[in-house]
Amino acid sequence: MKRKHLLGLQELSKEEINTILDIARPMRDIIMRDIKKVPTLRGKTVATLFYEPSTRTRSSFELAAKFLSADTLSINVGSSSVQKGESLIDTIRTLEAMGVEIIAVRHQQSGVPKFISLNTKMSVINAGDGFHEHPTQALLDLFTIKQKLDKIEGLKVAIIGDIYHSRVARSNIWGLIKLGAEVTVCGPPSLIPVEIEKFGVKVEINLQRTLEWADVVNVLRIQRERQDAGYLTTLDEYRDWYGLTQEKLEKLKGKKLLILHPGPMNRGVEIDDYVADGPNAVVNEQVTNGVAVRMAVLYLLAGGNESGNVD
Ligand code: CP
């Protein structure tokens, strides 16, 4: 993969996505060892710059960089000079002047990682921008599906919940369609974007029908702040219609269904404990795979070859 930046899955080819997934496999082997360290990125500096909260993405970029022996820097925007009014571009120039070579950026506005990429020498990774894309989340979801079911092509994958506000949904749709999956989005009509079918997906508003159809479901977080904006009535009603509950799974009569959730989960809203902690859910594997996928992305953006031989 000869790219300087990773801004979204929309711009990646099927081959590029497969290269990242292939290289994530030996990376996962590394993080399963007692000594999780290879010298691949020794001498490189990787920074994370997050303007929104994060547990998984930020920590896993940092761990991924450390496991590859890079030096790491994590900017806490809440206690940085951003609070004194420093502009985005001045923050970027400051990090660049310190020798940072790769930066993972999360921002509430769509397009910010692309804007940075046009104004810096650093490699930029989109760690989630507005409603636009969250490419490494989708890559780790694809990796987890492939790990569990040995393929993506031909699978029926449902994405459930707040599609409208979800960058995870958009990146997953791009990746799944490119790799040959059939995709259905399912949620309340107020949270399904108009003309989403143009992405190549089907729309379904009935959850039980969706569960009966799917091999894999990816359950999105209900962003509680959307309720105030009038997109939802009550969270209880949402749970009744779209929450993954014991009762809804039991109606499937033992059918195999792989259940993903990008986290953080709202237990008792979009997913119940019975489902989240049950044998079909792979939430913790997704987190582990997130480190491996981010190692693969860092390795490739730093110029690593496609053999993935990092030892
Ligand atoms: N899935 C995800 O992006 O989680 P964080 O917000 O914790 O990074």
Side-chain angles (χ1 to χ4, degrees):
M1 192 177 85
K2 301 276 175 281
R3 279 185 188 270
K4 182 159 183 195
H5 312 290
L6 175 64
L7 302 176
L9 294 200
Q10 180 176 9
E11 66 193 30
L12 294 194
S13 66
K14 174 181 176 178
E15 291 69 32
E16 287 175 307
I17 294 172
N18 277 327
T19 297
I20 297 169
L21 301 183
D22 288 346
I23 290 179
R25 250 183 291 140
M27 297 301 179
R28 196 175 192 284
D29 294 341
I30 291 166
I31 60 183
M32 292 296 132
R33 295 179 190 164
D34 285 343
I35 298 173
K36 308 170 189 8
K37 200 90 166 171
V38 288
T40 316
L41 293 192
R42 190 183 288 153
K44 299 276 183 199
T45 306
V46 176
T48 58
L49 176 65
F50 278 47
Y51 287 79
E52 280 187 343
S54 167
T55 299
R56 280 148 284 271
T57 313
R58 187 158 115 172
S59 312
S60 62
F61 267 117
E62 201 170 328
L63 278 178
K66 286 182 196 297
F67 292 163
L68 293 171
S69 299
D71 293 309
T72 59
L73 188 65
S74 183
I75 309 301
N76 180 355
V77 166
S79 59
S80 75
S81 289
V82 172
Q83 302 309 316
K84 299 181 204 160
E86 186 162 61
S87 72
L88 173 70
I89 212 67
D90 282 341
T91 303
I92 291 300
R93 287 190 184 129
T94 301
L95 294 171
E96 190 178 280
M98 287 179 193
V100 172
E101 284 137 320
I102 303 178
I103 184 161
V105 181
R106 173 171 288 187
H107 202 281
Q108 59 276 17
Q109 284 176 12
S110 300
V112 164
K114 167 96 179 172
F115 171 75
I116 295 171
S117 74
L118 297 172
N119 288 283
T120 182
K121 295 197 293 261
M122 297 184 284
S123 279
V124 179
I125 304 172
N126 180 0
D129 63 330
F131 306 164
H132 175 227
E133 284 225 36
H134 190 350
T136 56
Q137 178 66 48
L139 288 165
L140 77 88
D141 292 340
L142 292 168
F143 183 86
T144 306
I145 295 169
K146 208 166 170 188
Q147 179 192 42
K148 295 290 170 187
L149 301 179
D150 282 333
K151 62 172 187 176
I152 305 282
E153 190 163 4
L155 287 179
K156 293 174 177 162
V157 182
I159 304 172
I160 296 168
D162 179 357
I163 312 298
Y164 185 81
H165 298 100
S166 178
R167 54 198 178 207
V168 174
R170 285 175 182 76
S171 287
N172 261 275
I173 290 169
W174 288 119
L176 287 162
I177 298 278
K178 284 178 195 214
L179 298 195
E182 278 182 66
V183 181
T184 291
V185 296
C186 176
S190 60
L191 294 175
I192 304 279
V194 175
E195 300 195 336
I196 185 83
E197 292 91 342
K198 288 190 175 162
F199 279 64
V201 304
K202 293 195 193 99
V203 175
E204 174 61 85
I205 57 167
N206 182 295
L207 179 61
Q208 202 64 43
R209 266 205 303 268
T210 304
L211 298 178
E212 275 155 23
W213 170 85
D215 303 306
V216 180
V217 296
N218 200 340
V219 184
L220 302 175
R221 178 175 78 89
I222 272 296
Q223 303 179 28
R224 288 169 187 268
E225 56 277 22
R226 307 299 170 205
Q227 200 189 348
D228 301 334
Y231 288 99
L232 291 171
T233 48
T234 66
L235 294 181
D236 284 345
E237 193 171 53
Y238 183 84
R239 177 181 178 275
D240 287 347
W241 285 90
Y242 293 104
L244 252 71
T245 60
Q246 178 170 1
E247 188 193 5
K248 290 186 191 115
L249 279 201
E250 283 175 353
K251 281 193 193 155
L252 300 176
K253 299 187 171 43
K255 175 194 163 180
K256 274 211 175 285
L257 186 64
L258 188 71
I259 299 170
L260 291 88
H261 191 305
M265 292 186 278
N266 290 305
R267 289 171 179 263
V269 182
E270 74 267 5
I271 192 164
D272 279 3
D273 291 343
Y274 174 87
V275 182
D277 302 327
N280 295 341
V282 288
V283 179
N284 291 332
E285 282 99 322
Q286 285 174 268
V287 174
T288 305
N289 291 340
V291 181
V293 160
R294 289 173 179 121
M295 287 169 77
V297 168
L298 291 171
Y299 166 80
L300 286 165
L301 294 184
N305 71 43
E306 299 187 358
S307 73
N309 187 357
V310 294
D311 282 314

